[in-house]
Amino acid sequence: MLRSRDRLRLLDEPGGRRPADPGIVEDALVWLSWRYRSSAVTAWDESVLPGHGVWSAENDGRPGSRAPHLRLRRGGAELSALDLFGSRPVLLTGPDDRAWREAVRAVSHDLDVPLALYGIGTEVTDIEDRWPERYGVTAQGAVLVRPDGVVAWRCADAPVFAGRTLRTVLARLLGRDAAGEAAGTTRREGSGER
């Protein structure tokens, strides 16, 4: 993959300058709009990525990409959505988040994972009203962001069984089975030990 700073050496110097190779991707696109797949990210939920394959011209909150920036306000102070990530997984929700709140309480306790929830429109205000557009969700949707700021999963609308859905997703992302056990472990009969 060639970056835009490589263009100068690819151009004809004397005579006239021809356009750079169209296969060259802009530096900012490489730095900020990458996507990847792993067991710590759900499969991409869309078929065709706009842009350049694993790089997208728009950062729209798809799993495997950096969480998009949003200008937020909390308690009178302005902050970025990116300031919410860093120490634990975060579930961002829209303002209609009652089902997600109940799910986070139960799943966080059951899986012993310190999962934070920030309601866009409840705990924090989206200054530019871009939450649905930037993250690809509705007022009932949710986006799970890893501590490193990578979108791990998103759900455009609240599912009927939000708790079960969140538990399954979080357990899989953590490498655990549906019961919350580490993959590959078994319990000894009657002892409660693994």
Side-chain angles (χ1 to χ4, degrees):
M1 176 62 58
L2 296 175
R3 298 180 336 176
S4 61
R5 77 176 199 184
D6 298 322
R7 288 180 186 192
L8 293 177
R9 67 181 179 76
L10 296 175
L11 298 174
D12 290 335
E13 293 298 327
R17 296 172 61 93
R18 66 172 197 219
D21 182 337
I24 297 175
V25 177
E26 293 293 328
D27 289 348
L29 195 59
V30 173
W31 298 329
L32 301 174
S33 297
W34 45 262
R35 300 180 197 284
Y36 71 94
R37 296 176 192 221
S38 84
S39 61
V41 172
T42 59
W44 291 338
D45 54 353
E46 291 83 9
S47 56
V48 179
L49 294 172
H52 305 279
V54 296
W55 288 280
S56 174
E58 296 278 332
N59 189 359
D60 59 1
R62 293 175 198 237
S65 68
R66 295 172 65 99
H69 163 71
L70 281 178
R71 288 181 58 215
L72 302 174
R73 186 173 323 278
R74 179 173 58 180
E78 188 171 323
L79 68 150
S80 168
L82 306 178
D83 295 328
L84 302 175
F85 317 129
S87 63
R88 57 189 170 170
V90 171
L91 189 72
L92 296 176
T93 67
D96 189 3
D97 64 358
R98 195 180 88 208
W100 292 118
R101 286 188 179 287
E102 294 169 12
V104 164
R105 270 194 294 277
V107 171
S108 184
H109 178 266
D110 293 348
L111 296 179
D112 194 28
V113 175
L115 182 61
L117 182 142
Y118 293 99
I120 309 294
T122 53
E123 280 90 9
V124 293
T125 303
D126 178 3
I127 294 171
E128 297 172 333
D129 198 28
R130 298 189 67 197
W131 155 252
E133 168 197 346
R134 295 301 310 263
Y135 281 84
V137 295
T138 66
Q140 298 82 31
V143 176
L144 181 63
V145 182
R146 300 181 338 192
D148 62 359
V150 172
V151 175
W153 170 79
R154 76 174 174 186
C155 185
D157 290 304
V160 174
F161 301 106
R164 185 179 303 160
T165 301
L166 185 59
R167 173 185 253 290
T168 301
V169 166
L170 197 55
R172 189 178 62 103
L173 295 174
L174 295 171
R176 300 179 187 177
D177 63 17
E181 302 297 324
T185 61
T186 56
R187 288 189 181 268
R188 286 197 248 163
E189 273 309 306
S191 71
E193 296 178 20
R194 288 183 226 155

